[in-house]
């Protein structure tokens, strides 16, 4: 590569991970305090520089595992951020990735070691640089995908109630949905299966538990709510 591109500038490339979880009817964002200058101590997304021997996705998976202890979560590329002055430290192009995880699955030790915390999106403090723009763009994309791709199940445990599923949709959309119409649509979806199990933890009266059948979804290959 050096033979052909000698004299061309070398620019730093990083990945920034927008890790979203769902808890207490709220979407939450995983953030930490910067440990290096510039702006050490300011809240930011968790990220890292891309190494010479890894792809962008490999770098994102490495960073996600470091901060959550979870391998291969639902993840999608949000976009590239390359404004000349976006990082006061150096010329850095960042590729943002959004990951959806079940908040109870994360590794507490990894969070403590990296000094990370969950913040509710509607109480989000000012983030470092353009990280707020990354989060906003990720949310806009998720809202467009919500009724056409099975993304909501990544935020839930394997067994969930219809109320929990509804709350996830409301958290992503940022608005309430009609309970009757929502449940009517759910019952028309073959790959959201009712089980014989009852949830007596989150529901005082007891609620039926459901699961997302991945194989049935693959066979159908169409998701529409």
């Amino acid at each position: 590569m050096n033979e052909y591109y000698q004299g061309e500038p070398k620019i730093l490339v990083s990945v920034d991970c927008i890790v979203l979880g769902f808890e207490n009817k709220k979407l939450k964002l995983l953030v930490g305090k910067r440990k290096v200058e510039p702006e050490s101590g300011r809240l930011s997304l968790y990220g890292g520089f891309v190494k010479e021997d890894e792809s962008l996705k490999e770098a994102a998976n490495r960073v996600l595992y470091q901060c959550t202890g979870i391998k291969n979560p639902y993840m999608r590329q949000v976009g590239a951020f390359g404004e000349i002055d976006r990082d006061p430290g150096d010329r850095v192009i960042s590729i943002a990735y959004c990951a959806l995880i079940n908040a109870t699955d994360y590794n507490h030790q990894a969070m403590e070691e990296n000094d990370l915390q969950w913040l509710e999106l509607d109480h989000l403090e000012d983030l470092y640089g353009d990280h707020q723009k990354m989060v906003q763009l990720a949310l806009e994309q998720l809202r467009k995908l919500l009724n056409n791709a099975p993304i909501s199940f990544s935020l839930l445990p394997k067994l969930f109630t219809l109320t929990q599923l509804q709350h996830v949709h409301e958290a992503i959309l940022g608005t309430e949905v009609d309970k009757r119409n929502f449940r009517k649509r759910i019952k028309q979806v073959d790959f959201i299966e009712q089980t014989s199990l009852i949830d007596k933890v989150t529901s005082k009266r007891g609620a039926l538990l459901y699961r997302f059948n991945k194989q049935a979804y693959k066979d159908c290959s169409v998701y529409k709510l």
Side-chain angles (χ1 to χ4, degrees):
M1 185 173 288
N2 290 335
E3 178 182 353
Y4 300 104
Y5 304 123
Q6 290 182 5
E8 293 299 327
K10 292 186 177 181
I11 298 175
L12 295 170
V13 178
S14 68
V15 291
D16 283 300
C17 295
I18 304 158
V19 183
L20 296 174
F22 176 75
E23 205 169 34
N24 298 324
K25 302 180 184 180
K26 298 283 187 178
L27 264 188
K28 295 186 178 181
L29 175 70
L30 194 64
V31 297
K33 293 182 179 179
R34 285 178 58 82
K35 297 180 180 179
V36 297
E37 295 294 348
E39 299 190 51
S40 177
R42 189 172 180 184
L43 287 177
S44 75
L45 300 174
Y46 193 86
F49 290 105
V50 180
K51 298 180 180 180
E52 290 185 358
D53 61 348
E54 64 183 0
S55 68
L56 290 172
K57 191 171 183 179
E58 287 171 340
N61 274 313
R62 169 176 55 81
V63 169
L64 282 167
Y65 181 72
Q66 288 173 349
C67 67
T68 66
I70 298 175
K71 290 185 177 181
N72 301 316
Y74 170 86
M75 180 178 67
R76 67 186 309 274
Q77 189 178 118
V78 173
F81 294 77
E83 293 298 323
I84 295 174
D85 59 351
R86 63 170 297 274
D87 192 316
D90 207 333
R91 179 75 169 100
V92 182
I93 294 175
S94 180
I95 313 300
Y97 283 84
C98 180
L100 304 181
I101 68 171
N102 177 10
T104 60
D105 288 342
Y106 63 69
N107 186 310
H108 289 271
Q109 183 177 349
M111 288 190 64
E112 291 176 5
E113 289 175 352
N114 293 292
D115 193 22
L116 300 172
Q117 59 182 296
W118 288 106
L119 286 182
E120 293 182 7
L121 291 183
D122 50 2
H123 294 96
L124 199 60
E125 298 180 38
D126 186 34
L127 295 179
Y128 174 78
D130 52 7
H131 290 187
Q132 185 70 45
K133 293 181 180 178
M134 294 180 181
V135 175
Q136 189 58 46
L137 181 57
L139 281 174
E140 291 173 4
Q141 293 176 356
L142 291 176
R143 286 166 182 160
K144 292 178 180 178
L145 285 169
L146 186 60
N147 291 331
N148 298 291
I151 62 174
S152 55
F153 306 104
S154 297
L155 294 162
L156 291 167
K158 292 182 179 179
L159 296 176
F160 53 86
T161 66
L162 293 186
T163 297
Q164 289 174 316
L165 182 58
Q166 178 182 332
H167 287 160
V168 165
H169 278 246
E170 290 174 336
I172 293 174
L173 294 171
T175 186
E176 293 184 2
V177 300
D178 183 83
K179 179 179 178 179
R180 182 177 296 180
N181 289 336
F182 181 79
R183 296 198 173 206
K184 182 180 179 180
R185 295 200 306 270
I186 292 298
K187 291 178 179 178
Q188 296 173 345
V189 179
D190 294 335
F191 40 81
I192 300 178
E193 297 181 341
Q194 178 182 310
T195 72
S196 59
L197 301 174
I198 302 293
D199 172 33
K200 295 184 179 180
V201 177
T202 63
S203 174
K204 294 181 181 179
R205 300 171 60 183
L208 286 169
L209 287 166
Y210 289 74
R211 72 182 184 94
F212 173 59
N213 187 322
K214 293 182 180 180
Q215 187 57 52
Y217 167 68
K218 289 179 180 179
D219 293 340
C220 176
S221 73
V222 176
Y223 184 92
K224 186 69 177 178
L225 277 184

